[in-house]
Amino acid sequence: MKKLFLLILVGAMGLQVFGQGPLPIDPKTVKGTLPNGLTYYIRANAEPKGQAEFFIAQKVGSMQELENQRGLAHFLEHMAFNGTKNFPGKALFTFTEGIGVKFGYNLNAGTSWDETVYNISAVPVSRKGIVDSCLLVLHDWSNALTLLDKDINEERGVIREEMRTRDDADMRMLEKMLTLIFPNNRYSERFVIGTKEVIENFKPQELRDYYHRWYRPDHQAIIIIGDIDPVYVESKIKTMFSDIAKPSTPSELVAVPIADNATPIVGFITDPEATNSTISINYKQEALPKELKLSAQSLVLNYVKGVIGEMLNSRFEEIGQTATPPFMYAYSYYAPLIIAKTADAFTTTAMFKEGGVQAAYESIITELARVKQHGFTAGEYDRARAEFLSNYEKSYNERDKRKSGDFAQECVRNFIDDEIMPGIETEYTLINQMAPMLTVEQINQMAQGLISEENLIIYGTGPAKEGLTYPSNEELLATYNKVFNQTYEAYKEEVSNEPLIAKLPKPGKIKKTSTDKTFGATVYTLSNGIKVVVKPTDFKSDEIQFTSTSLGGTSLYGDADILNLKVLNSVATIGGVGNFSQVNLTKALSGKRASVNANISLKDEGLSGSCSPKDLETMMQLIYLYATSPRADEEAYASWTTRQKAFLESMDANPMSAFSDTLTVQMYGQNPRARSLKLNDLAKIDYKRIIEIYKERFQNMNDFIFTFVGNIDEATFKPLMEQYIATLPSAKGNETFKDVKMYTLTGERLSHFDKEMQSAKATACAIYTGKVDYTPANVLKMDILKQVLDIVYTEEIREKEGGTYGVGVQLGVDDYPYGNNYKLLIFFDTESKMAEKLLSIVYREFKDLSVEGPRAQDLDKIKAFLLKDIQEKTRDNESWMHAIDQQYTYNHNLFLGKEALVNSITAEDIKEMAKLILSQTNRSEIIMKGFTATK
């Protein structure tokens, strides 16, 4: 393939000053290699305090499988949790959950084509014994899985059900796409999930042979990041992992090249259950060589591809806001080609409405051709550069507050993908030296080089249905050549240089200041009646978050406005604010980190957002504009309607749409406020009325509570508060929400139905509803009950029965709309003949829990997890912000004092909560069984 990078990145851009040698590893990270070939990374990091991350990364995935081993790499990942030398059986779960590390949440793994990564995350490491034990787990994953015949055979059912759950339109089309794009290549022949035939029939020894051949220290890296002693950890790694012998027989990892395609690869991929229609144009490139990936040249590439994508996407956003947009959305990016490690691609993708392929396709080709002919403007580049550098500035400012998990992922990518990791200080310095050196002419040279006639790939996806046709391969190529070879005018941009607020109102005043010792905050009462609660923190150096709430919401509007209310949050601000359309507002905010969103829910309304401390005034200006000046834009609304229509037209193809509608009816009957928006509703929506409702919700803000949390300098904050918040509209009188009688149904209900599917499966759900006093203790008990059910159903239904990939449990408690209520949903996918049996186990285990209560060890695990989670949230701006908001708005305290409350909960409490739910006898059951139509 064309070595574009060697031409442009090294010579033509005149960046020899950065050199071509590898950048050094961040000096705060210890990287080493044992004599047996094992790589290790260690770094001390204090966020979150008292915790650490433990990873093992393997340069091994499904690409190493033989034809009769398809699926074994992924199967092996599952088996790592089913017994090791030092943690036999389920001892691994006993250990990890005992220290508050939950399976599927902090304890997990993932397999791909070229890698398998295991992690034990958010581990409390106050004791060295815990560090030692986690290292021992990594040691066992590396070379000491037990892989017993019994465990392997029991896991076949779980994998089979995972296949069933994942077998949807997107997965089927991805398989076909890989065959199209990687013909006669292992990337298309080694789909990670494998084949049912192999999973059900391979001999256990074959899995053990695969494990011992490919899981070897020279293919592995151990990564430990967190609040640890690096010297101690390095010593333990050398002691513990050196006994793993490097196998004498070779099992070389060979990169699989992607062949050039002299003629374009073209095709459309369809599926009857597809809900999206897309068209993609890909310009394939050879992946950056390792020696350049590890050098400063990769920083240049990241910058160039970042600003090119930003500029093109800005153009597509502008097109998407027209009254009759040619696509639902479109975007460009430069990344690895789908899944390949050895090929990259500059890709432009558009999603379009059914039947709209030609308009979408021609539109994105036109913009690519315009870039090829004229490049980008200096103004576009200035904004994209400012945005890129702003993101780097945030990372630099937060360099001492980064989470350990971020550093762990950085090490994984360095080991597996040879990505640089010189540290943010070095990257920030180099980027700020390099970005001003690169002119718009050089960026255009790169962009025009990316849009090449070589190695072109054009593919589309969409639903297969009667009467719906797609262009042939010949037609796709003919259109590409016809549109691309026309001459286009250069892009002409519309940019407003006016201030966000043309005329500032006269500032208001602070009427009263008090201290909230409970939250460590200052409370300001302003001249317009608004209360502002401010809590400065040092959790993050470059972050301020805010939220505001007032009671009322959509509950204050009658049935005549129900359709308007359903789309209120999506539609009310699509036209922008003040004198700025959404497109021009985005341009005006380039390089700034300040955002505000409005939300009007059933029982309240409010604004929320975040900013960098340096952009605090910009965020304050946005607060003022979103509260006072929503901008009506009929063209933007027409664009939204077009895109929403396309979305709703496609939803019926997904079998789960029918299940979702049934679920709503089972819970709420025919209550019009509960049902989802349908296609024929769009014509009845009144845009002017939506703007009117929005304005009404913010026309009197004297009862609003604003909460600001983060790196706040109150001397800077107070005059901005007086200027932009104390001047928000205010009048006498407070509101509260109304009871709109959106009640869940009582009694028992069943709904069993059949649904035609491409891949038959059953989806089952049990729903419990009823009343419970809304108190911090009951909210916590319900959360613990949910987690107990997670454990029980994983053991009884996933592990023992092998009947499903997983059982989902959702349990929510609220104090609205009719006092105090809860909703418990238990759901899973399985094969049709197993649905009733597995539901009977759901009911049996729930009943047993109401009689016997949870096992002591389960309750202890859950408490350990909750206590660890509480400690994490004490250093999180968002957690404090929501706690303050809930206290001042609803008088709910679900945050402070929670540790003592967790410790006070007993098994008897959980048993009584389960008994309460069952005693109210409000249960619905839904089973949707799929069938495949006979051809």
Side-chain angles (χ1 to χ4, degrees):
M1 296 179 207
K2 185 176 179 182
K3 293 185 181 295
L4 184 65
F5 308 107
L6 297 178
L7 170 67
I8 295 178
L9 296 181
V10 181
M13 288 184 161
L15 297 174
Q16 296 91 337
V17 65
F18 294 114
Q20 297 178 43
L23 287 171
I25 292 290
D26 184 344
K28 295 178 182 177
T29 300
V30 177
K31 182 180 180 181
T33 305
L34 298 181
N36 59 11
L38 180 82
T39 302
Y40 60 85
Y41 300 79
I42 307 166
R43 182 185 180 112
N45 187 61
E47 291 292 341
K49 291 185 183 301
Q51 294 184 13
E53 304 282 314
F54 295 80
F55 278 66
I56 179 169
Q58 329 250 359
K59 293 182 180 180
V60 176
S62 61
M63 293 293 279
Q64 281 67 50
E65 297 167 351
L66 302 176
E67 183 64 27
N68 66 343
Q69 297 175 325
R70 293 184 61 182
L72 293 196
H74 171 252
F75 200 111
L76 186 59
E77 172 217 308
H78 277 239
M79 294 308 301
F81 301 95
N82 282 295
T84 71
K85 176 183 176 182
N86 292 289
F87 298 88
K90 300 300 180 182
L92 173 59
F93 297 129
T94 301
F95 160 62
T96 55
E97 292 178 350
I99 59 172
V101 174
K102 187 190 297 186
F103 177 59
Y105 191 79
N106 306 129
L107 178 68
N108 218 329
T111 305
S112 186
W113 278 260
D114 292 285
E115 65 186 69
T116 307
V117 180
Y118 301 83
N119 67 286
I120 318 172
S121 296
V123 177
V125 287
S126 56
R127 293 184 289 109
K128 285 185 177 180
I130 293 177
V131 174
D132 295 349
S133 295
C134 287
L135 289 173
L136 190 58
V137 174
L138 300 187
H139 172 277
D140 281 9
W141 278 343
S142 171
N143 82 321
L145 300 185
T146 50
L147 299 177
L148 302 177
D149 287 12
K150 175 180 177 293
D151 297 333
I152 291 171
N153 291 328
E154 287 179 352
E155 196 68 20
R156 295 182 200 266
V158 175
I159 302 289
R160 184 178 62 246
E161 292 307 317
E162 182 178 0
M163 286 180 165
R164 193 189 311 278
T165 294
R166 296 187 186 279
D167 189 0
D168 58 13
D170 289 341
M171 193 64 71
R172 292 189 292 268
M173 289 193 296
L174 176 58
E175 276 200 87
K176 295 176 185 176
M177 185 193 306
L178 298 182
T179 301
L180 172 72
I181 294 174
F182 304 111
N184 303 312
N185 189 286
R186 289 178 71 84
Y187 276 113
S188 64
E189 297 165 353
R190 293 295 179 268
F191 209 64
V192 175
I193 197 69
T195 67
K196 187 177 179 180
E197 181 181 5
V198 170
I199 296 306
E200 291 185 340
N201 297 298
F202 74 86
K203 293 179 175 58
Q205 187 57 43
E206 294 179 87
L207 185 64
R208 291 190 279 267
D209 290 344
Y210 177 90
Y211 175 56
H212 294 301
R213 175 173 174 79
W214 293 110
Y215 275 46
R216 43 186 287 166
D218 52 330
H219 296 165
Q220 298 171 332
I222 301 297
I223 300 159
I224 297 91
I225 314 289
D227 201 356
I228 45 90
D229 175 1
V231 175
Y232 174 79
V233 170
E234 184 173 28
S235 172
K236 291 298 293 187
I237 288 174
K238 290 178 178 178
T239 301
M240 190 178 294
F241 288 85
S242 293
D243 69 345
I244 302 174
K246 181 178 180 179
S248 56
T249 55
S251 58
E252 185 180 0
L253 297 172
V254 179
V256 177
I258 308 300
D260 287 344
N261 51 286
T263 59
I265 294 174
V266 185
F268 241 99
I269 300 156
T270 63
D271 189 278
E273 293 174 3
T275 57
N276 296 323
S277 300
T278 66
I279 184 76
S280 293
I281 300 170
N282 306 263
Y283 300 99
K284 186 167 62 178
Q285 304 283 343
E286 185 176 7
L288 200 64
K290 179 178 179 179
E291 60 271 18
L292 288 184
K293 287 186 74 173
L294 291 171
S295 76
Q297 305 304 327
S298 63
L299 270 180
V300 181
L301 174 61
N302 289 339
Y303 172 77
V304 171
K305 69 184 184 182
V307 295
I308 289 173
E310 177 77 19
M311 291 186 287
L312 254 176
N313 292 338
S314 180
R315 290 189 184 184
F316 289 138
E317 182 183 357
E318 196 167 333
I319 294 169
Q321 290 295 314
T322 57
T324 55
F327 43 69
M328 295 172 69
Y329 65 81
Y331 57 94
S332 288
Y333 60 94
Y334 188 98
L337 178 59
I338 314 294
I339 56 170
K341 294 284 188 185
T342 52
D344 294 335
F346 177 54
T347 299
T348 299
T349 297
M351 179 182 287
F352 55 88
K353 63 182 180 180
E354 290 183 10
V357 58
Q358 199 66 24
Y361 185 41
E362 290 188 11
S363 178
I364 61 176
I365 300 171
T366 298
E367 287 312 306
L368 291 171
R370 199 187 312 276
V371 170
K372 183 76 170 178
Q373 293 171 19
H374 302 287
F376 299 99
T377 69
E380 287 180 292
Y381 179 46
D382 287 343
R383 289 192 300 275
R385 175 166 51 194
E387 192 69 18
F388 189 93
L389 293 178
S390 176
N391 291 330
Y392 254 99
E393 183 183 32
K394 177 176 175 61
S395 296
Y396 177 77
N397 290 340
E398 297 285 5
R399 62 191 180 280
D400 296 328
K401 307 292 183 180
R402 286 185 66 189
K403 302 289 188 183
S404 295
D406 295 338
F407 287 115
Q409 290 296 338
E410 204 172 69
C411 295
V412 169
R413 299 275 61 91
N414 175 260
F415 177 69
I416 291 177
D417 294 330
D418 299 311
E419 290 187 4
I420 58 170
M421 48 175 292
I424 186 60
E425 294 89 348
T426 298
E427 286 194 43
Y428 184 65
T429 299
L430 291 177
I431 283 290
N432 279 283
Q433 290 175 2
M434 172 265 293
M437 295 171 58
L438 291 175
T439 66
V440 69
E441 290 79 16
Q442 290 172 314
I443 297 298
N444 287 337
Q445 180 186 1
M446 179 67 168
Q448 290 155 352
L450 286 174
I451 303 170
S452 169
E453 295 179 359
E454 302 175 14
N455 289 299
L456 177 64
I457 302 171
I458 302 170
Y459 67 86
T461 65
K465 61 169 61 175
E466 188 175 350
L468 184 61
T469 60
Y470 299 96
S472 66
N473 294 354
E474 293 75 19
E475 289 170 331
L476 284 170
L477 277 177
T479 297
Y480 180 87
N481 292 325
K482 180 193 74 172
V483 176
F484 213 92
N485 290 325
Q486 294 178 24
T487 301
Y488 299 95
E489 292 184 356
Y491 172 73
K492 296 177 182 177
E493 59 178 340
E494 175 188 337
V495 181
S496 174
N497 293 318
E498 65 177 300
L500 288 178
I501 302 175
K503 184 179 180 180
L504 293 176
K506 182 181 178 181
K509 297 292 184 183
I510 298 171
K511 289 181 60 179
K512 180 182 176 183
T513 303
S514 60
T515 300
D516 183 332
K517 294 181 179 179
T518 302
F519 286 103
T522 303
V523 183
Y524 299 96
T525 302
L526 306 183
S527 52
N528 58 355
I530 291 175
K531 282 188 176 180
V532 180
V533 187
V534 179
K535 179 178 175 62
T537 70
D538 62 357
F539 308 149
K540 288 194 173 182
S541 304
D542 205 35
E543 178 183 273
I544 298 173
Q545 292 199 36
F546 93 94
T547 191
S548 64
T549 309
S550 170
L551 300 180
T554 62
S555 70
L556 301 181
Y557 296 87
D559 289 355
D561 277 313
I562 283 178
L563 293 179
N564 297 326
L565 301 177
K566 288 182 186 297
V567 301
L568 180 59
N569 290 313
S570 300
V571 169
T573 58
I574 56 172
V577 291
N579 295 325
F580 292 81
S581 68
Q582 280 286 11
V583 169
N584 285 337
L585 183 63
T586 300
K587 292 178 181 179
L589 296 175
S590 293
K592 296 181 182 294
R593 289 197 310 282
S595 64
V596 170
N597 295 293
N599 182 69
I600 303 173
S601 69
L602 183 63
K603 60 182 179 180
D604 57 43
E605 59 270 345
L607 303 168
S608 60
S610 63
C611 70
S612 166
K614 71 179 180 60
D615 295 318
L616 175 60
E617 183 165 15
T618 299
M619 185 176 77
M620 291 294 210
Q621 291 172 334
L622 291 173
I623 289 172
Y624 186 86
L625 289 173
Y626 272 89
T628 64
S629 307
R631 180 180 178 274
D633 187 330
E634 293 290 345
E635 187 173 25
Y637 176 66
S639 174
W640 176 87
T641 302
T642 300
R643 287 180 276 114
Q644 189 68 16
K645 180 181 178 182
F647 170 75
L648 293 173
E649 284 176 334
S650 66
M651 285 308 297
D652 286 344
N654 187 341
M656 290 308 297
S657 179
F659 186 86
S660 178
D661 288 344
T662 303
L663 179 64
T664 300
V665 172
Q666 286 289 89
M667 291 181 68
Y668 296 102
Q670 298 300 324
N671 190 312
R673 288 182 183 260
R675 75 173 182 85
S676 59
L677 192 73
K678 298 299 179 183
L679 184 61
N680 59 5
D681 293 330
L682 289 178
K684 305 171 189 175
I685 292 171
D686 186 340
Y687 179 45
K688 290 182 180 179
R689 176 60 178 154
I690 287 173
I691 297 295
E692 186 177 79
I693 293 171
Y694 181 91
K695 289 180 176 179
E696 289 173 358
R697 291 297 82 227
F698 295 99
Q699 68 184 1
N700 178 14
M701 300 186 66
N702 76 302
D703 60 351
F704 267 69
I705 305 292
F706 278 78
T707 303
F708 290 82
V709 178
N711 185 12
I712 302 168
D713 173 38
E714 295 198 53
T716 302
F717 180 85
K718 285 194 287 188
L720 297 176
M721 175 176 60
E722 291 177 319
Q723 176 66 74
Y724 297 107
I725 298 180
T727 52
L728 292 172
S730 176
K732 290 183 178 180
N734 294 337
E735 291 179 324
T736 189
F737 51 81
K738 293 182 179 179
D739 183 355
V740 295
K741 303 188 185 304
M742 195 170 140
Y743 306 156
T744 53
L745 301 181
T746 58
E748 295 201 359
R749 294 167 306 286
L750 298 178
S751 179
H752 294 188
F753 64 99
D754 296 335
K755 180 72 176 175
E756 183 179 347
M757 300 178 185
Q758 293 302 300
S759 179
K761 68 175 180 180
T763 300
C765 184
I767 309 163
Y768 295 87
T769 60
K771 295 185 178 183
V772 64
D773 290 339
Y774 189 89
T775 65
N778 282 345
V779 171
L780 178 58
K781 290 173 190 176
M782 285 290 195
D783 185 18
I784 293 174
L785 174 60
K786 182 262 183 202
Q787 295 188 53
V788 170
L789 292 173
D790 282 336
I791 294 171
V792 171
Y793 292 145
T794 296
E795 289 182 4
E796 297 296 324
I797 298 179
R798 173 182 159 129
E799 302 295 339
K800 288 185 181 179
E801 295 291 334
T804 184
Y805 180 50
V807 179
V809 181
Q810 296 177 359
L811 180 52
V813 190
D814 200 357
D815 63 346
Y816 184 77
Y818 61 95
N820 305 304
N821 62 95
Y822 62 83
K823 302 180 189 73
L824 169 61
L825 281 72
I826 306 163
F827 50 92
F828 55 86
D829 290 340
T830 188
E831 60 179 318
S832 293
K833 66 182 182 180
M834 290 287 288
E836 285 85 357
K837 177 184 178 181
L838 297 187
L839 264 179
S840 71
I841 297 174
V842 165
Y843 300 142
R844 181 194 74 201
E845 294 301 320
F846 198 6
K847 184 177 181 180
D848 288 350
L849 187 60
S850 73
V851 175
E852 301 172 5
R855 295 171 300 196
Q857 64 266 32
D858 291 345
L859 185 58
D860 289 344
K861 293 174 187 176
I862 294 165
K863 284 187 175 185
F865 173 79
L866 288 171
L867 292 172
K868 185 192 68 171
D869 186 61
I870 291 167
Q871 289 302 310
E872 289 181 35
K873 285 183 168 55
T874 59
R875 292 191 55 78
D876 177 69
N877 286 330
E878 187 173 3
S879 297
W880 280 101
M881 178 185 70
H882 287 304
I884 294 170
D885 177 65
Q886 287 290 298
Q887 179 68 62
Y888 276 81
T889 304
Y890 292 103
N891 197 30
H892 292 166
N893 174 23
L894 305 178
F895 188 68
L896 298 177
K898 190 174 179 179
E899 185 171 339
L901 193 56
V902 168
N903 286 323
S904 73
I905 300 296
T906 66
E908 185 68 20
D909 292 327
I910 307 307
K911 182 180 79 171
E912 289 302 314
M913 191 59 73
K915 188 181 298 184
L916 172 70
I917 291 174
L918 289 178
S919 69
Q920 298 189 36
T921 64
N922 299 323
R923 190 184 80 189
S924 297
E925 176 182 295
I926 305 171
I927 299 178
M928 180 178 73
K929 291 185 177 180
F931 66 91
T932 304
T934 304
K935 299 290 185 181

